[in-house]
Amino acid sequence: MRTGKAASGNPRSMQRSFVRLTHETAEGTASGIYGLIVSAAMLVTAHADRAWREVLAVLVTLTIYWVAERYARIVAERIHEGRRPAWHTVRHQLTHGWELVTASALPLLVLVIVRLAGARMVAAEFAALACCTLLLCVAGWRMGAGGQLTPAERLVSTVTAGAFGAAMIVLKTLLH
């Protein structure tokens, strides 16, 4: 999944890849993980008859979540600071956290490809959920490395992250 080191040459720095599982900041990484979990939840509850409708529903929902989160941060800063946030703060909030939306790219691509290959919609949804689960597991493993965890602790991190996706698959199975 990695394609090379970041410009700094530091192996612990952000890795460049098609699907980034860790990002420049803790907030970016957390947003990406949260985006995968929300994407999976949308795939569980979706009843779209066409893949493009489901993709659109997921992307619109994630964008609404992103806007709501950014708005909440701006309002919270005003409440806690007792003044209007400075323009640079507003600009920062409006240009960060997009990982919440972009993390869904690969699972949604899997959904579309599996559906175009002729699978039923529910099979494509399960494939996308499996992709989300795999990405969560890989993120858990990679975060363990960044957090300098022992192999056993990394395994716990991997299983914990993957459990979110597995729970979504179980829920999808029970609902359909």
Side-chain angles (χ1 to χ4, degrees):
M1 308 253 338
R2 295 186 294 187
T3 60
K5 288 187 258 183
S8 70
N10 180 350
R12 294 216 183 268
S13 65
M14 181 196 69
Q15 300 294 319
R16 307 258 184 237
S17 65
F18 175 69
V19 177
R20 291 188 319 187
L21 299 172
T22 56
H23 300 276
E24 295 94 6
T25 65
E27 179 185 354
T29 300
S31 291
I33 291 168
Y34 188 59
L36 283 171
I37 294 167
V38 173
S39 296
M42 288 291 302
L43 292 166
V44 166
T45 60
H47 296 294
D49 57 343
R50 303 261 190 260
W52 71 268
R53 288 183 181 164
E54 195 155 330
V55 168
L56 185 62
V58 169
L59 291 176
V60 168
T61 300
L62 289 171
T63 301
I64 291 169
Y65 270 69
W66 175 82
V67 169
E69 181 190 21
R70 298 292 111 184
Y71 172 77
R73 288 176 180 267
I74 291 168
V75 169
E77 182 162 324
R78 180 171 185 147
I79 291 168
H80 289 278
E81 297 294 323
R83 59 181 167 73
R84 288 188 180 136
W87 170 245
H88 74 277
T89 300
V90 173
R91 186 182 62 231
H92 173 82
Q93 291 302 334
L94 295 177
T95 58
H96 286 77
W98 272 105
E99 296 86 356
L100 186 116
V101 178
T102 60
S104 67
L106 188 58
L108 293 177
L109 182 61
V110 166
L111 174 88
V112 170
I113 289 171
V114 170
R115 184 71 176 114
L116 287 174
R120 292 181 358 174
M121 191 63 187
V122 71
E125 290 167 340
F126 274 110
L129 285 169
C131 180
C132 285
T133 303
L134 177 64
L135 290 174
L136 287 167
C137 287
V138 172
W141 183 257
R142 291 214 34 229
M143 287 184 299
Q148 299 176 358
L149 301 179
T150 66
E153 292 168 328
R154 283 180 81 180
L155 183 60
V156 169
S157 175
T158 302
V159 170
T160 301
F164 291 109
M168 296 297 176
I169 291 171
V170 168
L171 186 58
K172 181 75 172 182
T173 303
L174 293 174
L175 292 176
H176 291 81

